[in-house]
Amino acid sequence: QVQLVESGGGLVQAGGSLRLSCAASGRTFSSYAMGWFRQAPGKEREFVAAITWSGGSTYYADSVKGRFTISRDNAKSTVYLQMNSLKPEDTAVYYCAAALSGSPRRMEEYDYWGQGTQVTVSS
């Protein structure tokens, strides 16, 4: 089992920045690829970013590429999502997730999920 706890969400004005953190406990964190997903009201959950177990490869949704950066610190069992130039359309609940294998963009590949943290971007 892997337990994931997100933090760092909040209210920010458009153009601002936030850094989300996801702390993991349980099985070996460094064995898992990690991803961030988000779900806006009335919409389906969507892929935001992912990082391989080593941190050697990262993946981004087109909508956040160039604005968001995913990173991880395996010594701290934590994955981060730095979000810059935020837009109102980034408003959503952000979830981190852990996957042992599979395509990092596919929600179905993830084995464990956090409870989510709310990000609200005002215009």
Side-chain angles (χ1 to χ4, degrees), residues 38-44 91-93 118-119:
R38 67 187 181 187
Q39 187 166 18
K43 295 187 176 182
E44 294 186 351
T91 295
V93 177
Q118 176 70 47
V119 171

Side-chain angles (χ1 to χ4, degrees), residues 29-42:
F29 175 75
S30 59
S31 300
Y32 290 82
M34 298 297 295
W36 286 96
F37 293 78
R38 67 187 181 187
Q39 187 166 18

Side-chain angles (χ1 to χ4, degrees), residues 14-93:
S17 298
L18 282 174
R19 188 175 83 152
L20 304 184
S21 299
C22 174
S25 60
R27 291 192 174 181
T28 307
F29 175 75
S30 59
S31 300
Y32 290 82
M34 298 297 295
W36 286 96
F37 293 78
R38 67 187 181 187
Q39 187 166 18
K43 295 187 176 182
E44 294 186 351
R45 193 172 298 188
E46 64 176 4
F47 169 77
V48 175
I51 188 167
T52 54
W53 66 272
S54 65
S57 295
T58 56
Y59 308 84
Y60 296 95
D62 289 342
S63 59
V64 306
K65 200 172 294 183
R67 299 188 298 123
F68 290 11
T69 302
I70 189 170
S71 62
R72 66 189 295 160
D73 185 338
N74 285 343
K76 295 182 178 180
S77 297
T78 302
V79 62
Y80 305 97
L81 186 68
Q82 178 67 45
M83 305 186 295
N84 298 329
S85 302
L86 282 161
K87 305 175 181 180
E89 50 264 44
D90 294 318
T91 295
V93 177

Side-chain angles (χ1 to χ4, degrees), residues 3-21:
Q3 293 79 42
L4 303 172
V5 179
E6 302 96 336
S7 62
L11 173 64
V12 64
Q13 289 188 332
S17 298
L18 282 174
R19 188 175 83 152
L20 304 184
S21 299

